[in-house]
Amino acid sequence: MQITFTRPDDWHLHLRDDEAMASVVTATAERFARAIVMPNLSPPVTTTEMAMAYRQRILNALPADSAFTPLMTLYMTDLLGHEEIVRARQSGIVQGIKLYPAGATTHSDAGVTDIRKRYPVLETMQKEGLPLLIHAEVADPEVDIFDREQVFIERHLIPLKRDFPALPMVFEHITTKDAVEFVSDCDGRMGATITVQHLMHNRNTLLAGGVRPHYYCLPILKRGTHQAALIEAATSGDPHFFLGTDSAPHPQHAKEAACGCAGCYTAHAAIELYAEVFEQAGALDRLEGFASLYGADFYGLQRNRGTITLEKHSWVAPESYQFGQDRVVPFGAGKTIDWRLAGISRQADRIS
Ligand code: NCD
Ligand code: ZN
């Protein structure tokens, strides 16, 4: 069996930089026409100039005939100013500004310490129509790690939506039923990305019978009732919800450690894994909307014209891949994946 549909985009991706980036970017470029590239390098991508240089490094790492367009983001710090937002908008290459609460996740030390103090720049973003992409977890050490998303909704998202009704916002990598309900009740200026690990797994996979560090990401996997709500949202055909892998490669030794870091590497088989989830939910016909249409519509970008073809053919994910000087263990290493990539049509999808 084969399925062919509009080429998908990945609306939340970590590519890293230099050699490490060069070893993972092809996996994404083979499948997706575009990806929103996260700015949490160290140091973070905080200016349009840095984003342009990073974009060029990504393009340089790809074969000349690659039909892939990186879409860039800036990292919001306490210092990001109005001029930079206007510059970002005018550049045409920056599609959003990413808000990481300081300390919430990997490389977020330079993040925002007080969202209220960023209200003036949010005004400018609203005026410019530049989307705010939100890592929606409080970094408050008093709040239980499993509750950090719900608490963020109450403390920050409800006020943000009230105070900036016209600002496009993406609630990134949602992990709870509460997030699904919040986003469903908002208008079309609120979107949400959903990762494949949050659709395929719950916290039992991470913790029952042993700690499995390759399933540790942030926001952390939640209980099964939340997983069920995410599957329902993703496969519902509701355009608020679209694909964002949050593929976040780390060297094997940094994950398999006494204090392992957060992030799942899913780019090696991202769309294939989503196909598995949609098939199991009896919703393969809704994969195209989620993976290829709603995200582009949200960002006000053209839908892709090329197509992707997947075939039902099982293969086993490798135990690891090269990752710069290191190895990265992919999500589902050594396990069978039901779908495989059969090909893409490259029809004019690269916008340079
Ligand atoms: C991401 C990373 O490694 O950069 N990690 C993760 O667990 N998702 C950061 C992020 O998106 O939170
Ligand atoms: Zn991320």
Side-chain angles (χ1 to χ4, degrees):
M1 181 173 63
Q2 286 201 335
I3 50 170
T4 296
F5 55 99
T6 305
R7 224 171 140 210
D9 300 305
D10 183 350
W11 300 100
H12 184 131
L13 175 68
H14 299 269
L15 282 178
R16 315 308 186 200
D17 209 349
D18 303 321
E19 255 187 296
M21 176 267 286
S23 44
V24 294
V25 64
T26 315
T28 293
E30 280 170 354
R31 293 166 174 81
F32 297 94
R34 298 171 286 198
I36 286 272
V37 180
M38 289 295 145
N40 64 331
L41 303 181
S42 86
V45 179
T46 50
T47 65
T48 305
E49 207 183 331
M50 290 171 87
M52 286 170 102
Y54 184 28
R55 179 177 182 274
Q56 197 53 52
R57 292 196 295 280
I58 296 167
L59 292 175
N60 292 347
L62 288 166
D65 66 343
S66 162
F68 176 73
T69 306
L71 306 173
M72 309 313 290
T73 56
L74 300 190
Y75 187 113
M76 184 180 282
T77 64
D78 287 344
L79 301 173
L80 178 74
H82 300 279
E83 316 72 47
E84 199 54 60
I85 287 163
V86 174
R87 228 180 339 258
R89 191 45 158 177
Q90 284 171 355
S91 74
I93 66 135
V94 175
Q95 300 296 339
I97 311 276
K98 181 74 190 280
L99 188 163
Y100 291 101
T105 187
T106 311
H107 297 159
S108 63
D109 315 349
V112 169
T113 52
D114 183 354
I115 296 173
R116 299 224 139 239
K117 294 209 177 113
R118 306 279 55 212
Y119 266 35
V121 291
L122 294 175
E123 288 288 354
T124 308
M125 287 171 61
Q126 178 166 256
K127 207 162 86 216
E128 296 285 329
L130 189 60
L132 177 68
L133 318 182
I134 308 171
H135 185 111
E137 286 193 290
V138 292
D140 183 345
E142 298 294 307
V143 177
D144 189 279
I145 186 165
F146 291 100
D147 298 334
R148 289 182 181 181
E149 187 172 278
Q150 284 105 326
V151 174
F152 192 95
I153 296 173
E154 288 153 30
R155 286 195 197 163
H156 303 295
L157 271 184
I158 293 172
L160 276 171
K161 190 67 193 141
R162 180 193 62 218
D163 299 337
F164 298 96
L167 175 63
M169 294 183 222
V170 184
F171 189 159
E172 298 289 352
H173 40 51
I174 58 167
T175 62
T176 58
K177 188 168 188 285
D178 312 63
V180 168
E181 286 167 2
F182 173 78
V183 172
S184 310
D185 288 344
C186 287
D187 63 18
R189 291 189 191 100
M190 176 70 71
T193 52
I194 307 183
T195 79
V196 81
Q197 65 266 24
H198 293 101
L199 292 171
M200 295 188 114
H201 295 283
N202 58 58
R203 63 197 195 181
N204 278 3
T205 310
L206 174 67
L207 295 169
V211 180
R212 295 183 191 84
H214 296 293
Y215 292 90
Y216 175 59
C217 65
L218 288 172
I220 198 161
L221 292 172
K222 306 297 191 300
R223 60 168 68 242
T225 43
H226 293 297
Q227 180 194 2
L230 295 173
I231 295 171
E232 196 174 328
T235 60
S236 66
D238 179 340
H240 282 104
F241 303 101
F242 42 87
L243 185 157
T245 61
D246 193 19
S247 176
H250 289 277
Q252 181 168 8
H253 61 80
K255 297 277 305 166
E256 297 172 9
C259 184
C261 57
C264 299
Y265 176 62
T266 50
H268 65 299
I271 190 66
E272 298 91 320
L273 293 166
Y274 281 103
E276 205 166 300
V277 171
F278 275 67
E279 185 184 28
Q280 269 163 28
L284 262 184
D285 57 323
R286 299 212 170 135
L287 179 60
E288 183 181 45
F290 175 80
S292 317
L293 310 180
Y294 306 149
D297 295 351
F298 175 88
Y299 278 91
L301 298 171
Q302 275 187 4
R303 292 177 172 185
N304 296 316
R305 280 167 296 204
T307 59
I308 188 168
T309 301
L310 302 179
E311 66 185 329
K312 189 85 188 277
H313 182 105
S314 46
W315 57 290
V316 176
E319 294 294 342
S320 68
Y321 290 95
Q322 193 68 36
F323 184 51
Q325 301 290 319
D326 295 297
R327 307 288 301 175
V328 57
V329 176
F331 183 77
K335 297 215 167 72
T336 301
I337 298 177
D338 295 346
W339 290 85
R340 82 171 174 196
L341 181 65
I344 55 163
S345 82
R346 301 162 164 263
Q347 219 177 302
D349 271 344
R350 177 146 183 186
I351 311 145
S352 29

